[in-house]
Amino acid sequence: MRVSDPSALLDQGHSPLPNDHPLIDGRTAHAPLIRALRGDRPERLPVWFMRQAGRSLPEYRELRVGTAMLDACLDPAMASEITLQPVRRHHVDAGIFFSDIVVPLRLAGVDVEIVPGKGPVLGAPIRTPEAVAALPALDPSALAPITEAVQRTVAELGSTPLIGFAGAPFTLAAYMVEGGPSKDHTAARALMHADPETWSRLLDWTADVSGAFLRSQALAGASAVQLFDSWVGSLSRNDYVDRVKQHSARALSHVEDLGVPRIHFGVGSGEVLGDMASVGVEAVGVDWRVPLAEAVHRMGPGITVQGNIDPALLAAPWPVLERHVRRVIQSGALARAHVVNLGHGVPPETDPDVLTRIVELVHGLGSGVTGAAGPIGAAGAAGATGAGA
Ligand code: CP3
């Protein structure tokens, strides 16, 4: 059974979240992000950035010197500090837990490293029935550093919600079958058809480790979760619906009883937006290719949209970027609710002051839908000509 209104679980006291969880004790229950994810239009549009914690910040680069990426993720004090850095600096409406989609693989005992400038690389690709059958189960006690890092972070965040996250089964399987990053994920897409049985077992395994990772973050204090299917854009719609979607739903089912709002995001997801919206989530993150108003059309009215400032425009002159941000907000006004974000992660070379300025702009626009302070106010009016309301 799918829970159609997760907040009802919380309101009725039916959630297994502990009493000192920020959603239960009231710290974050009415934060703009949480209200928007539940379909409400708060007085202030919430804004945060995918990859806000990371290389665009000098304080991050300084702290990371001499520590490998996955070691940093598994050091609770360091992971917590890195999570807090962009919240302090930009005054965003959420922290995103500093970790990585391959952390639960490493915790399960899979040989995986993150190679700087490249991404996740496995000791050996996992693409045979034997290799999939040999994948180890994730021992729940291995998640202790995650729990500790989330608890430390939430204790500092006060009324700002922490977003927990995990990788979707397809994106993780793309790395596992290829053995590392690839452009088109051809080995993964071939396996899906050559040996559907092995494919399905592999995606069930990834769904369960990602689901356990999500659940540990939510129980430890995360007030929302996001499932990243970054490479979903390499799939045909048929393949997504027949061989991927049910596994994403399985990953999310691990947190269904908690009542924590769920966000689903993919890159190049235009063909499958409607399908991604139906795996059991309250919000969908849209990449920069599809206008938010069009995304609402594809997904229906019952979904909050998140996005979709083009990350490339972070390098453009401010008036160009400002006009773009206002148009994104105008387009998002058609949705039941909108969480402002980028259409993908912050590029490492981004000037962090630009991100702070976007937060100030968005927060100055109120709810984003009405009044003189609406998105196409005085400063944006000239540039908005022809934008189409
Ligand atoms: O601020 C945040 O968004 C939270 C932290 C976060 C990281 N990875 C930290 C990270 C999150 C949410 C992720 C998710 C992630 N990891 C995804 C999905 C999101 C997306 O961007 O599509 C994917 C595909 C990965 C796999 C991965 N890990 C890649 C492609 C890379 C980049 C490799 C490189 O060096 O260019 C990583 C490493 C990584 N994960 C870094 C960070 C801050 C860079 C590590 C460094 O500082 O060298």
Coordinates of all heavy atoms in Angstrom, one line a residue, residues 48-55 60 64 69 96-102 114-120 165 171 175 228 230-231 265 267 344-345, ligand 1:
W48 N 17.7 25.7 -1.8 CA 19.0 25.1 -1.5 C 19.6 24.6 -2.8 O 19.0 24.7 -3.8 CB 18.8 23.9 -0.5 CG 18.1 22.7 -1.0 CD1 16.7 22.5 -1.1 CD2 18.7 21.5 -1.5 NE1 16.4 21.3 -1.6 CE2 17.6 20.6 -1.9 CE3 20.0 21.0 -1.6 CZ2 17.8 19.3 -2.4 CZ3 20.2 19.7 -2.1 CH2 19.1 18.9 -2.5
F49 N 20.9 24.1 -2.7 CA 21.6 23.8 -3.9 C 22.2 22.4 -3.9 O 22.8 22.0 -2.9 CB 22.8 24.7 -4.2 CG 22.3 26.2 -4.2 CD1 22.6 27.0 -3.2 CD2 21.7 26.7 -5.3 CE1 22.3 28.4 -3.2 CE2 21.3 28.1 -5.3 CZ 21.6 28.9 -4.3
M50 N 21.9 21.6 -4.9 CA 22.6 20.3 -5.0 C 24.1 20.5 -5.1 O 24.5 21.4 -5.8 CB 22.0 19.5 -6.2 CG 20.6 19.0 -6.0 SD 20.0 18.0 -7.3 CE 19.6 19.2 -8.5
R51 N 24.9 19.7 -4.3 CA 26.3 19.9 -4.2 C 26.7 21.3 -3.6 O 27.8 21.8 -4.0 CB 27.0 19.7 -5.6 CG 27.0 18.3 -6.1 CD 28.0 17.4 -5.5 NE 27.9 16.0 -5.9 CZ 28.6 15.5 -6.8 NH1 29.5 16.1 -7.5 NH2 28.4 14.2 -7.1
Q52 N 25.9 21.8 -2.7 CA 26.2 23.0 -2.0 C 27.4 22.8 -1.1 O 28.2 23.7 -0.8 CB 25.1 23.6 -1.3 CG 24.6 22.8 -0.1 CD 23.2 23.3 0.5 OE1 22.5 24.0 -0.2 NE2 22.9 22.9 1.7
A53 N 27.5 21.6 -0.6 CA 28.7 21.2 0.2 C 29.8 20.6 -0.7 O 29.5 19.6 -1.3 CB 28.3 20.2 1.3
G54 N 30.9 21.3 -0.8 CA 31.9 20.7 -1.7 C 32.8 21.8 -2.2 O 33.0 22.8 -1.7
R55 N 33.4 21.4 -3.4 CA 34.6 22.1 -3.9 C 34.4 23.6 -4.2 O 35.4 24.3 -4.4 CB 35.1 21.4 -5.1 CG 35.8 20.1 -4.7 CD 36.2 19.3 -5.9 NE 35.1 18.8 -6.6 CZ 35.1 18.0 -7.6 NH1 36.2 17.6 -8.2 NH2 34.0 17.5 -8.2
Y60 N 35.8 24.2 2.6 CA 35.7 22.7 2.3 C 37.1 22.2 1.8 O 37.6 21.2 2.3 CB 34.6 22.4 1.2 CG 34.7 21.0 0.7 CD1 34.1 20.0 1.4 CD2 35.3 20.8 -0.5 CE1 34.2 18.7 0.9 CE2 35.4 19.5 -1.1 CZ 34.8 18.4 -0.4 OH 34.9 17.2 -0.9
R64 N 39.4 19.3 3.6 CA 39.6 18.0 3.0 C 41.1 17.7 2.7 O 41.3 16.5 2.3 CB 38.8 18.0 1.7 CG 37.3 17.6 1.8 CD 37.1 16.1 2.0 NE 38.0 15.3 1.2 CZ 37.9 15.1 0.0 NH1 36.9 15.5 -0.7 NH2 38.8 14.3 -0.7
M69 N 38.1 11.1 -0.1 CA 36.7 11.4 -0.1 C 35.8 10.5 0.8 O 35.1 10.9 1.6 CB 36.1 11.4 -1.6 CG 34.7 11.6 -1.7 SD 34.1 13.3 -1.1 CE 32.3 13.0 -1.1
I96 N 22.2 19.6 3.1 CA 22.2 18.3 2.4 C 23.4 17.6 3.1 O 24.5 18.1 3.1 CB 22.3 18.4 0.9 CG1 22.4 17.0 0.3 CG2 23.4 19.3 0.4 CD1 21.2 16.3 -0.3
F97 N 23.1 16.4 3.6 CA 24.1 15.6 4.3 C 25.3 15.4 3.4 O 25.1 14.9 2.3 CB 23.4 14.3 4.7 CG 24.4 13.4 5.5 CD1 25.0 13.9 6.6 CD2 24.5 12.1 5.2 CE1 25.9 13.1 7.4 CE2 25.4 11.3 5.9 CZ 26.1 11.8 7.0
F98 N 26.5 15.6 3.9 CA 27.7 15.4 3.2 C 28.0 13.9 3.2 O 28.4 13.3 4.2 CB 28.9 16.2 3.7 CG 30.1 15.9 2.9 CD1 30.3 16.5 1.7 CD2 31.1 15.0 3.4 CE1 31.5 16.2 1.0 CE2 32.2 14.7 2.7 CZ 32.4 15.3 1.5
S99 N 27.9 13.3 2.0 CA 28.2 11.8 1.9 C 28.3 11.6 0.4 O 28.6 12.5 -0.3 CB 27.1 11.0 2.6 OG 27.5 9.7 2.8
D100 N 28.1 10.3 0.0 CA 28.1 10.0 -1.4 C 27.2 8.8 -1.7 O 27.0 8.0 -0.8 CB 29.5 9.7 -1.9 CG 29.6 9.8 -3.4 OD1 29.7 11.0 -4.0 OD2 29.4 8.8 -4.1
I101 N 26.7 8.7 -2.9 CA 25.8 7.6 -3.2 C 26.5 6.3 -3.1 O 25.8 5.3 -2.9 CB 25.2 7.8 -4.7 CG1 26.3 7.8 -5.7 CG2 24.3 9.0 -4.7 CD1 25.7 7.7 -7.2
V102 N 27.8 6.2 -3.2 CA 28.5 4.9 -3.1 C 28.9 4.6 -1.6 O 29.4 3.5 -1.4 CB 29.7 4.8 -4.0 CG1 29.3 4.9 -5.5 CG2 30.8 5.8 -3.7
I114 N 36.5 6.7 -4.5 CA 36.2 7.9 -5.4 C 37.5 8.5 -5.8 O 38.3 9.0 -5.0 CB 35.3 8.9 -4.6 CG1 33.9 8.2 -4.4 CG2 35.1 10.2 -5.4 CD1 32.8 9.1 -3.8
V115 N 37.7 8.5 -7.1 CA 38.9 9.0 -7.7 C 38.7 10.5 -8.0 O 37.8 10.8 -8.7 CB 39.3 8.2 -9.0 CG1 40.6 8.8 -9.6 CG2 39.5 6.7 -8.6
P116 N 39.5 11.4 -7.4 CA 39.4 12.8 -7.7 C 39.3 13.2 -9.1 O 40.1 12.7 -9.9 CB 40.6 13.5 -7.0 CG 41.0 12.5 -6.0 CD 40.7 11.1 -6.6
G117 N 38.4 14.0 -9.5 CA 38.2 14.4 -10.9 C 37.5 13.4 -11.8 O 37.3 13.7 -13.0
K118 N 37.3 12.2 -11.3 CA 36.7 11.1 -12.1 C 35.4 10.7 -11.5 O 34.3 10.7 -12.2 CB 37.7 10.0 -12.1 CG 37.4 9.0 -13.2 CD 38.6 8.0 -13.4 CE 38.2 7.0 -14.4 NZ 38.9 5.7 -14.3
G119 N 35.4 10.2 -10.2 CA 34.1 9.7 -9.6 C 34.3 8.3 -9.1 O 35.5 7.9 -8.9
P120 N 33.2 7.6 -8.8 CA 33.3 6.3 -8.2 C 34.0 5.3 -9.1 O 33.6 5.2 -10.3 CB 31.9 5.9 -7.9 CG 31.1 7.2 -7.9 CD 31.8 8.1 -8.9
F165 N 20.0 11.6 1.7 CA 19.9 11.2 0.3 C 20.5 9.8 0.1 O 21.2 9.3 1.0 CB 20.6 12.2 -0.6 CG 22.1 12.1 -0.6 CD1 22.7 11.3 -1.5 CD2 22.8 12.8 0.3 CE1 24.1 11.2 -1.5 CE2 24.2 12.7 0.4 CZ 24.9 11.9 -0.5
T171 N 21.2 4.4 -11.2 CA 22.5 5.1 -11.2 C 23.6 4.4 -10.5 O 24.7 4.3 -11.0 CB 22.2 6.5 -10.6 OG1 21.4 7.3 -11.5 CG2 23.5 7.3 -10.3
Y175 N 27.2 2.5 -12.3 CA 28.6 2.5 -11.8 C 29.1 1.1 -11.6 O 30.2 0.7 -11.9 CB 28.8 3.3 -10.5 CG 28.7 4.8 -10.7 CD1 27.7 5.6 -10.2 CD2 29.8 5.5 -11.4 CE1 27.7 7.0 -10.4 CE2 29.8 6.8 -11.6 CZ 28.7 7.6 -11.1 OH 28.7 9.0 -11.2
F228 N 18.6 10.3 -5.7 CA 19.3 10.8 -6.9 C 19.3 9.7 -8.0 O 20.0 8.7 -7.8 CB 20.7 11.2 -6.6 CG 20.9 12.5 -5.9 CD1 21.0 12.5 -4.5 CD2 21.0 13.7 -6.6 CE1 21.2 13.8 -3.9 CE2 21.2 14.9 -6.0 CZ 21.3 14.9 -4.6
S230 N 20.7 10.2 -11.1 CA 21.4 11.1 -11.9 C 21.5 10.7 -13.4 O 21.5 11.5 -14.3 CB 22.8 11.4 -11.4 OG 22.7 11.9 -10.1
W231 N 21.7 9.4 -13.7 CA 22.0 9.0 -15.0 C 20.7 8.4 -15.7 O 20.8 7.7 -16.8 CB 23.2 8.0 -15.1 CG 24.3 8.5 -14.3 CD1 25.2 7.8 -13.5 CD2 24.8 9.9 -14.3 NE1 26.1 8.6 -13.0 CE2 25.9 9.9 -13.4 CE3 24.4 11.1 -14.9 CZ2 26.6 11.1 -13.1 CZ3 25.1 12.3 -14.6 CH2 26.2 12.3 -13.7
F265 N 15.1 12.9 -8.0 CA 15.7 13.8 -9.0 C 16.5 13.0 -10.0 O 17.1 12.0 -9.7 CB 16.7 14.7 -8.2 CG 17.7 15.5 -9.2 CD1 17.2 16.6 -9.9 CD2 19.0 15.0 -9.4 CE1 18.1 17.2 -10.8 CE2 19.8 15.6 -10.3 CZ 19.4 16.7 -11.0
V267 N 18.8 13.6 -14.0 CA 19.3 14.5 -15.1 C 18.8 13.9 -16.4 O 18.8 12.7 -16.6 CB 20.8 14.5 -15.1 CG1 21.3 15.5 -16.1 CG2 21.3 15.0 -13.7
H344 N 21.1 20.8 -11.7 CA 22.0 19.8 -11.3 C 23.0 20.4 -10.3 O 22.7 21.5 -9.8 CB 22.8 19.2 -12.6 CG 23.4 17.8 -12.3 ND1 24.2 17.2 -13.2 CD2 23.3 17.0 -11.2 CE1 24.6 16.0 -12.7 NE2 24.1 15.9 -11.5
G345 N 24.1 19.7 -10.0 CA 24.9 20.2 -8.9 C 25.7 21.5 -9.2 O 25.9 21.9 -10.4
Ligands
CP3_1 O1 26.4 19.0 -1.3 C1 25.8 17.9 -1.6 O2 25.1 17.8 -2.6 C2 26.0 16.7 -0.7 C3 27.0 15.8 -1.0 C4 27.0 14.9 -2.2 C5 28.2 14.4 -2.8 N1 27.8 13.5 -3.7 C6 29.5 14.8 -2.3 C7 30.6 14.6 -3.3 C8 25.9 14.3 -2.9 C9 24.4 14.5 -2.7 C10 26.5 13.4 -3.8 C11 25.7 12.5 -4.7 C12 26.3 11.9 -5.8 N2 27.6 11.3 -5.9 C13 25.7 11.7 -7.1 C14 24.3 12.2 -7.4 C15 24.2 13.7 -7.5 C16 24.7 14.2 -8.9 O3 25.6 15.0 -8.8 O4 24.2 13.8 -9.9 C17 26.6 11.1 -7.9 C18 26.3 10.7 -9.4 C19 27.8 10.8 -7.2 C20 29.0 10.1 -7.7 C21 30.1 11.0 -7.6 N3 30.8 11.2 -6.4 C22 30.7 11.8 -8.6 C23 30.3 11.9 -10.0 C24 31.7 12.6 -8.0 C25 32.6 13.7 -8.6 C26 33.9 13.2 -9.0 C27 34.8 14.4 -9.3 O5 35.8 14.5 -8.6 O6 34.5 15.2 -10.2 C28 31.8 12.2 -6.6 C29 32.7 12.8 -5.6 C30 32.1 13.7 -4.7 N4 30.9 13.5 -4.1 C31 32.6 15.0 -4.4 C32 31.7 15.6 -3.5 C33 31.8 16.9 -2.8 C34 33.9 15.6 -4.9 C35 34.9 15.1 -4.0 C36 36.1 16.0 -3.9 O7 36.1 17.0 -3.2 O8 37.1 15.7 -4.6

